[in-house]
Amino acid sequence: MRNRFLSAVLLGGIFAFSPPATRSAHAAKPQTAVPTSYAASCVFDISMLPTVEGKISRLLPGTHGDVVGVIFADGNEVVMPPGLAAQDHNLRIGAPLAVRGLMAPSLHLVRAFALAGQPVVCAAPMPEMVTASPPTSAQGVVERLLHDGDGAVAGALLTDGTVLRTPAAGARSADLVPGKTVYADGKGYQTAYGKLVLVDILGPSRAQAVHISDEPPVPRGAAPGSPAYDELPGAVSTGDE
């Protein structure tokens, strides 16, 4: 009888003090579900990003004759990566659009990463294109400021639909103010989605416009034929001339 009691105690101890690994050996391991809405064209899984929807009131042209963003009727600006807008063959003013991306409510800005749908569609590689960019100018009233994907001011939309794209120096200009008249000079692109100007000179008027490029201006040299034309700044004369 004593031996039976001892055996029972020892057997119970084995079960009572079994290591956790032994007890959990047969437990089901959690599995990470692959979202069915994930598209093979997307490098990253963007299924956790919210969907933002709106009706297109304006298309924003790029330098390749493509669309690089839209303005929704509710006032939100949607910034798209190159090659994304081309995936939507129904992209036009008045059409609905749903994208997956990040929202900046204070800027009324959406950074789109994909077109929402089943499945979602990401940007496709864009072929290299050479487009003409003759000098052009534009003047009009600023309707709203435009941004890049990081939320920094990158230009403006005029009330006539012209899009101005400015370098960082121009984005800090006091002339880019909604409701204010602005004059811009630079390289121009006339696309199917409107006029685009890459701004080099900006101001409240043509007479008051200034150079705004991030690159320092090339210093003007001596006039051809003048005595200083052949002199190099900083060169030391040997006296043999």
Side-chain angles (χ1 to χ4, degrees), residues 162-185:
T162 299
V163 171
L164 306 181
R165 292 296 183 181
T166 63
R172 297 188 294 267
S173 171
D175 297 309
L176 290 183
V177 178
K180 189 173 182 179
T181 299
V182 68
Y183 171 86
D185 203 343

Side-chain angles (χ1 to χ4, degrees), residues 55-215:
K55 182 175 289 187
I56 300 173
S57 66
R58 195 177 294 276
L59 300 169
L60 303 177
T63 57
H64 289 219
D66 57 343
V67 172
V68 295
V70 305
I71 304 295
F72 279 157
D74 61 7
N76 284 323
E77 175 190 0
V78 181
V79 178
M80 299 180 173
L84 179 59
Q87 305 304 307
D88 187 346
H89 302 294
N90 296 316
L91 203 68
R92 63 184 185 278
I93 294 176
L97 177 65
V99 297
R100 287 282 185 91
L102 300 175
M103 181 76 183
S106 62
L107 298 176
H108 301 287
L109 177 68
V110 179
R111 182 176 183 178
F113 290 90
L115 302 176
Q118 295 292 338
V120 297
V121 179
C122 289
M126 289 287 292
E128 291 292 332
M129 299 175 61
V130 179
T131 56
S133 55
T136 190
S137 62
Q139 185 168 355
V141 178
V142 176
E143 180 176 309
R144 65 176 294 159
L145 300 181
L146 299 177
H147 304 80
D148 62 17
D150 295 324
V153 175
L157 173 67
L158 304 185
T159 54
D160 65 357
T162 299
V163 171
L164 306 181
R165 292 296 183 181
T166 63
R172 297 188 294 267
S173 171
D175 297 309
L176 290 183
V177 178
K180 189 173 182 179
T181 299
V182 68
Y183 171 86
D185 203 343
K187 297 177 181 178
Y189 297 82
Q190 189 63 51
T191 75
Y193 310 106
K195 183 178 180 179
L196 169 65
V197 181
L198 303 184
V199 183
D200 293 325
I201 298 174
L202 186 71
S205 65
R206 183 174 184 177
Q208 297 172 290
V210 296
H211 187 81
I212 61 166
S213 173
D214 290 336
E215 299 180 0

Side-chain angles (χ1 to χ4, degrees), residues 38-57:
Y38 181 68
S41 64
C42 299
V43 176
F44 300 99
D45 179 5
I46 59 167
S47 59
M48 72 291 295
L49 295 179
T51 298
V52 182
E53 303 179 63
K55 182 175 289 187
I56 300 173
S57 66

